[in-house]
Amino acid sequence: GYAVNPGRARAMMQAAADAGSADAMFELYVYDATGFTGDADLESATRHLHQAAKLGSARAMTNLAGAYATGRGIGRDEVKAVTWYRRAAEAGSVRAATTLAHMYGTGQGVDVSHAKDARYAQRAHELASQPLTV
């Protein structure tokens, strides 16, 4: 398993990422951010996170939005944060939709909009109510 041979886990994830897997690219981000398979490398982690988001990973889009919102690992940019949260919510991220509802309800990084607050709260509810697919 991964815990027994992190180097092998990384090689497998890299091969899957090279084949176009957004999920594998996201895992490489996690490996680099945490140092699971070697030294932590925030620059490499950020690069993998961007690639996973561009490949369509809702998890990556949500984490990238959070990085822009907080400035962790990249420059703080509220416009990019909102853009990535929107993309993630449309891609199925409950967390992103919930975060957007909060942002529009409180005016955090955006103008207060009760209509958008309600729309994203409804989106989060719809996403959370869907059965899991495997």
Side-chain angles (χ1 to χ4, degrees):
Y2 288 177
V4 174
N5 192 340
R8 174 107 171 100
R10 183 175 187 88
M12 292 170 60
M13 285 301 163
Q14 187 64 60
D18 291 346
S21 170
D23 290 336
M25 191 65 69
F26 183 81
E27 290 302 319
L28 290 174
Y29 150 71
V30 172
Y31 292 173
D32 288 343
T34 63
F36 175 71
T37 61
D39 292 335
D41 183 342
L42 196 52
E43 184 178 317
S44 180
T46 301
R47 188 172 53 255
H48 286 119
L49 183 60
H50 270 97
Q51 290 171 334
K54 289 177 183 176
L55 287 171
S57 167
R59 289 172 61 202
M61 290 179 211
T62 303
N63 282 33
L64 183 57
Y68 278 121
T70 63
R72 185 176 186 279
I74 54 180
R76 188 165 191 235
D77 186 326
E78 291 180 338
V79 172
K80 286 182 180 179
V82 171
T83 297
W84 281 108
Y85 276 131
R86 281 186 190 134
R87 288 179 185 176
E90 290 307 312
S93 172
V94 174
R95 192 175 90 189
T98 302
T99 300
L100 280 170
H102 173 76
M103 290 173 78
Y104 282 111
T106 62
Q108 179 187 344
V110 295
D111 291 334
V112 171
S113 170
H114 297 298
K116 288 180 181 178
D117 173 10
R119 180 174 51 189
Y120 285 109
Q122 179 62 34
R123 175 75 175 146
H125 176 75
E126 290 167 0
L127 290 168
S129 299
Q130 293 178 3
L132 293 176
T133 57
V134 180

